[in-house]
Amino acid sequence: MTKRNYDAIPVEPAFVHKLFNTTKFAWLWAVLRIYLGYEWLMAGWHKATGTGWVDGGSALKGFWTNVIKVPTTGKAAITYDWYRSFLEFLLGHNTYTWFGKLIAYGEVLIGICLIVGLLTGFAAFGGALMNFNFMLAGSASTNPVLFFIAVLLIMAWKAAGYLGADRFVLPAIGTPWRAATAEGPDRDRKEA
């Protein structure tokens, strides 16, 4: 019986490989990355330069207070009781005083990293985590769309920052693929 070399067998369809692992669609990822980064930067900038977030967290306290309410009629904003209990715990311990700063500056940092393409996968994960929490708190708004874009960027982490700082940073810090060349991070892989 012969031993198979599973590393040589593509584990995904060719178009999926091209979309997420090659630089052929780096332009698409750059557009999505910059759009998402702009949205995060603007959201964070309004919080960081406005009132109620970095100056004591009163806006965050108000948001949490409103979403944990269970109305006598109708539907509560929060579907899951465990998440309501989590927010009640945070409110009870006055964490909004520092959590507001964390959210505001975190959104700005995520926005900047996505715009310049620096550690794109991690930045997209941070954004997705915030979108996920906003959705758990019952705030739909643009969160589902931003969450979906973030998930796509996480899946395309190897190529999503190629037209950005990741092209130079990721090979320098070490990644699962060798240093990027003109052909991109997947230069050793044969195209189907």
Side-chain angles (χ1 to χ4, degrees):
M1 184 168 188
T2 61
K3 185 176 177 183
R4 295 186 73 178
N5 181 1
Y6 288 99
D7 292 334
I9 300 172
V11 292
E12 71 262 331
F15 78 92
V16 172
H17 173 73
K18 285 180 185 176
L19 183 62
F20 291 110
N21 295 308
T22 71
T23 58
K24 289 180 184 8
F25 291 97
W27 62 270
L28 172 66
W29 300 122
V31 169
L32 290 174
R33 188 189 81 228
I34 292 168
Y35 167 74
L36 186 61
Y38 176 80
E39 292 295 318
W40 279 117
L41 181 61
M42 290 298 101
W45 187 258
H46 291 297
K47 289 176 179 78
T49 60
T51 58
W53 287 88
V54 297
D55 58 352
S58 62
L60 183 58
K61 178 183 180 184
F63 174 71
W64 284 348
T65 302
N66 287 332
V67 298
I68 63 169
K69 291 179 185 172
V70 179
T72 54
T73 60
K75 188 176 179 196
I78 297 177
T79 302
Y80 299 103
D81 289 332
W82 63 266
Y83 195 75
R84 180 178 293 105
S85 297
F86 173 65
L87 292 184
E88 288 170 345
F89 173 82
L90 294 176
L91 271 169
H93 289 84
N94 299 327
T95 59
Y96 54 84
T97 57
W98 60 268
F99 224 92
K101 293 177 182 128
L102 181 68
I103 291 171
Y105 296 135
E107 287 179 357
V108 169
L109 182 63
I110 287 168
I112 291 170
C113 285
L114 287 172
I115 289 170
V116 300
L118 177 64
L119 300 175
T120 302
F122 290 112
F125 177 77
L129 184 62
M130 281 202 262
N131 285 132
F132 183 69
N133 277 281
F134 294 146
M135 289 186 290
L136 281 173
S139 174
S141 182
T142 60
N143 287 307
V145 172
L146 300 180
F147 179 81
F148 180 70
I149 294 170
V151 168
L152 290 175
L153 290 173
I154 293 166
M155 291 171 60
W157 72 272
K158 292 179 188 176
Y162 186 75
L163 296 178
D166 280 351
R167 182 176 187 170
F168 309 101
V169 172
L170 291 183
I173 62 175
T175 61
W177 34 266
R178 292 184 193 99
T181 65
E183 292 82 33
D186 56 339
R187 67 184 187 280
D188 293 332
R189 171 123 182 200
K190 299 284 188 238
E191 293 301 324

